[in-house]
């Protein structure tokens, strides 16, 4: 059981262009001491179609990643699903919440952080991190990042450049 826990488990919520880029990056750099493929749980309302697109663009993904697909609406992600990820045989190492909806990102990130904090094993609670996409024009996530009391487990990332950020071209939901 302990050897399973040594593997990496990444959750990616939103499998549009940002989520797919995260998968490609993980496949390229995700070689770990355990020798196990990184496990990735991908969550999207159209996960089958989006996974097919990703595989067509990057056929080697399946060779380098162990992917579990969960088809669900972002609004339907709840505490039970979060708990399942956190108590998996490979508990979540890092979660990327990358939809274009700032409020959805905040809601899911907060549930993840609350679940991490509630984990009885300190080694699991201390290890996991949550990263959320900060869509253009938002301010709620930035406020949460600055004042959310998340004990360093939360980080924002933004893909906006100049006045024509490429988020408008993305197909993430």
């Amino acid at each position: 059981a302990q050897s399973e826990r040594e593997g990496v488990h990444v959750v990616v919520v939103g499998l549009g262009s940002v989520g797919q880029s995260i998968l490609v990056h993980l496949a390229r750099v995700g070689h770990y001491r355990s020798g196990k493929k990184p496990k990735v749980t991908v969550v999207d309302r159209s996960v089958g179609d989006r996974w097919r697109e990703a595989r067509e663009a990057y056929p080697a993904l399946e060779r380098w990643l162990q992917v579990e697909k969960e088809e669900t609406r972002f609004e339907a992600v709840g505490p039970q699903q979060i708990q399942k990820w956190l108590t998996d045989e490979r508990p979540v190492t890092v979660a990327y919440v990358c939809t274009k909806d700032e409020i959805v990102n905040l809601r899911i990130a907060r549930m993840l952080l609350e679940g991490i904090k509630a984990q009885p094993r300190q080694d699991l609670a201390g290890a996991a991190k949550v990263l959320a996409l900060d869509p253009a024009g938002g301010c709620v996530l930035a406020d949460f990042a600055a004042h959310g009391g998340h004990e360093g487990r939360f980080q924002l990332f933004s893909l906006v450049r100049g006045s024509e950020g490429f988020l408008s071209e993305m197909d993430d939901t």
Side-chain angles (χ1 to χ4, degrees):
Q2 182 60 28
S3 63
E4 280 297 314
R5 292 189 170 277
E6 291 174 6
V8 172
H9 182 185
V10 177
V11 171
V12 177
V13 179
L15 196 55
S17 57
V18 173
Q20 289 181 21
S21 293
I22 290 167
L23 291 182
V24 169
H25 180 72
L26 185 60
R28 286 184 175 155
V29 300
H31 310 286
Y32 299 94
R33 180 178 292 183
S34 68
K36 298 177 192 288
K37 294 180 187 179
K39 177 177 181 175
V40 183
T41 300
V42 291
V43 181
D44 195 283
R45 69 171 184 237
S46 302
V47 75
D49 292 337
R50 299 229 171 156
W51 175 244
R52 253 185 310 284
E53 291 169 12
R55 271 194 351 246
E56 288 171 7
Y58 306 99
L61 282 177
E62 288 184 302
R63 242 187 354 253
W64 295 101
L65 302 173
Q66 174 190 334
V67 178
E68 290 190 4
K69 300 170 283 299
E70 293 188 20
E71 185 152 336
T72 188
R73 291 180 1 266
F74 301 129
E75 298 79 13
V77 173
Q80 289 178 331
Q81 202 167 13
I82 301 286
Q83 188 64 20
K84 183 181 91 172
W85 300 333
L86 295 175
T87 57
D88 187 87
E89 64 185 17
R90 285 198 223 175
V92 174
T93 310
V94 63
Y96 292 91
V97 185
C98 41
T99 79
K100 284 197 316 185
D101 187 320
E102 181 184 31
I103 301 306
V104 167
N105 292 354
L106 176 64
R107 186 182 74 78
I108 294 173
R110 288 188 65 183
M111 281 191 294
L112 280 159
L113 290 164
E114 289 167 13
I116 291 166
K117 200 174 195 177
Q119 289 300 306
R121 294 187 47 199
Q122 277 303 94
D123 55 338
L124 297 179
K129 305 280 186 226
V130 177
L131 290 88
L133 177 64
D134 189 13
C139 62
V140 177
L141 274 169
D143 188 57
F144 179 71
H147 308 291
H150 38 74
E151 301 169 6
R153 292 187 179 107
F154 179 75
Q155 185 176 343
L156 286 181
F157 68 98
S158 180
L159 303 173
V160 178
R161 55 177 181 201
S163 60
E164 88 292 335
F166 70 86
L167 285 178
S168 61
E169 301 169 19
M170 290 175 35
D171 58 348
D172 288 322
T173 303

